Amino acid sequence: MSEIRPTSSEPAQILLVEDNPGDVRLTKEAFKQGRIENDLHVVTDGHEALEFLAQREAYEDAPRPDLILLDLNLPRKNGDEVLEELKGDPELRCIPVIVLTSSKAEEDVVRSYELHANAYLTKPVDPDEFIDAVKAFEAFWFRVVRLPTEGNES
């Protein structure tokens, strides 16, 4: 089966903001099994995520992500703070953000959408279900949804 790429010939740039090494490993495995050619970049806290997005310090050569997977329970800056800063920035706000978290709390769901998350997914506990969930949203966001191209932010 051939690889599927986003609308351009370049691999999809995905930023995973996750501090749990087990979830990072499962997400990498899911994307490896998926059919979308991608470059998965991982940062482990909210401050690092914002540095990556602003291309500051160690991330001055970081690519602009096509999609962000954001955990809520992060050190230094939590996911809500990252989401608020990201969606408040006119240059970054059009990047789709999927909240991928273990929280099933209704207030977290509501708050994430109030902060303009594009989707909210609760991480399945079962590793196989987790991998299936990642593969499903990968297919949706890169084969079904039309994403803005860099340079067309307005």
Side-chain angles (χ1 to χ4, degrees):
M1 201 174 282
S2 64
E3 293 276 322
I4 297 173
R5 297 178 181 202
T7 51
S8 77
S9 61
E10 299 296 315
Q13 300 297 318
I14 301 168
L15 176 60
L16 173 62
V17 187
E18 174 61 69
D19 64 324
N20 180 317
D23 290 346
V24 170
R25 185 180 46 74
L26 284 173
T27 305
K28 285 181 175 179
E29 179 63 27
F31 278 113
K32 195 167 92 177
Q33 289 181 19
R35 295 175 50 216
I36 307 296
E37 189 174 321
N38 69 80
D39 292 331
L40 183 65
H41 308 274
V42 180
V43 295
T44 57
D45 67 52
H47 175 76
E48 218 181 332
L50 294 169
E51 293 295 299
F52 185 100
L53 292 164
Q55 297 175 312
R56 288 190 294 253
E57 297 183 20
Y59 301 106
E60 65 182 82
D61 294 325
R64 178 188 174 90
D66 296 305
L67 182 72
I68 299 169
L69 305 177
L70 178 66
D71 187 19
L72 291 181
N73 304 311
L74 297 166
R76 294 177 39 176
K77 277 191 186 271
N78 68 36
D80 286 345
E81 293 170 308
V82 172
L83 196 51
E84 188 167 22
E85 283 192 46
L86 172 67
K87 293 301 185 175
D89 184 325
E91 292 185 23
L92 300 173
R93 73 171 53 129
C94 69
I95 300 172
V97 177
I98 299 172
V99 172
L100 182 60
T101 188
S102 55
S103 174
K104 294 180 181 177
E106 184 65 20
E107 60 268 18
D108 287 341
V109 176
V110 170
R111 176 90 174 126
S112 293
Y113 282 115
E114 285 175 347
L115 293 171
H116 306 288
N118 298 87
Y120 188 102
L121 296 174
T122 303
K123 295 176 192 170
V125 176
D126 177 84
D128 290 331
E129 289 178 17
F130 184 96
I131 288 172
D132 288 345
V134 171
K135 287 164 60 176
F137 71 67
E138 174 195 45
F140 176 75
W141 283 99
F142 291 114
R143 291 193 352 220
V144 178
V145 173
R146 182 171 176 200
L147 298 173
T149 57
E150 187 175 359
N152 286 336
E153 303 89 27
S154 54

